[in-house]
Amino acid sequence: MKKLTKIKTKPNLQESRLKENFEMLDRIRDDTVNDIESLTEDFQHMTLVAESIQRNYRALLAENQLLKGALLSIIDECGCWEGNRCDRCQKILKSLDSKNPDFPPNAAKEYRAILNQLRNLG
């Protein structure tokens, strides 16, 4: 049988670096794909949270409308009249008044400004 001799060749440094770079690029690409998948899951979760907040806020607005309607119907059914309201109706009207000190008059404007700032971020 023939004896095979092993020929030792010098490693090609350029080829080795090229292979290492390809391996590193593959790892970076894999990490990037994983990061994008994770980010997608985060956005899906945030979407679910935002939808839940939206549903709850709509329900709260509907409930507020019902409460306002109930308070106004109490005033309408009362024996007092406009300009000469009883103490109970005056308290109800004061609580519904936008000039009520418990609720600052600029709260709606401030809320709208905050919403506009948030929308401009997106």
Side-chain angles (χ1 to χ4, degrees):
M1 290 205 159
K2 290 183 181 180
K3 220 177 192 184
L4 294 175
T5 56
K6 293 185 181 179
I7 301 173
K8 289 188 178 183
T9 58
K10 290 183 181 179
N12 186 338
L13 292 178
Q14 185 179 4
E15 185 179 329
S16 297
R17 278 192 231 132
L18 188 63
K19 286 181 181 181
E20 287 175 10
N21 283 343
F22 284 151
E23 290 172 2
M24 186 183 310
L25 285 172
D26 286 343
R27 287 193 305 268
I28 290 171
R29 287 182 181 124
D30 289 342
D31 288 345
T32 302
V33 168
N34 289 335
D35 290 345
I36 291 171
E37 288 173 354
S38 177
L39 189 60
T40 301
E41 290 172 1
D42 290 345
F43 281 138
Q44 289 171 343
H45 176 72
M46 289 187 326
T47 300
L48 291 174
V49 170
E51 288 171 352
S52 173
I53 290 170
Q54 187 178 29
R55 277 192 308 275
N56 291 341
Y57 186 66
R58 283 188 178 143
L60 179 67
L61 289 177
E63 190 173 314
N64 281 349
Q65 233 14 67
L66 287 173
L67 289 172
K68 285 179 186 177
L71 290 172
L72 290 174
S73 69
I74 289 171
I75 293 171
D76 290 341
E77 293 171 4
C78 185
C80 64
W81 57 89
E82 191 174 331
N84 190 23
R85 295 286 182 196
C86 65
D87 289 340
R88 182 181 66 166
C89 290
Q90 284 180 5
K91 287 179 184 177
I92 292 172
L93 288 170
K94 184 180 177 187
S95 70
L96 293 173
D97 188 9
S98 63
K99 296 176 186 168
N100 188 340
D102 295 335
F103 302 103
N106 294 331
K109 289 180 186 177
E110 290 173 10
Y111 175 73
R112 190 174 298 124
I114 291 169
L115 277 180
N116 287 335
Q117 289 174 355
L118 289 173
R119 287 182 180 136
N120 289 335
L121 290 176

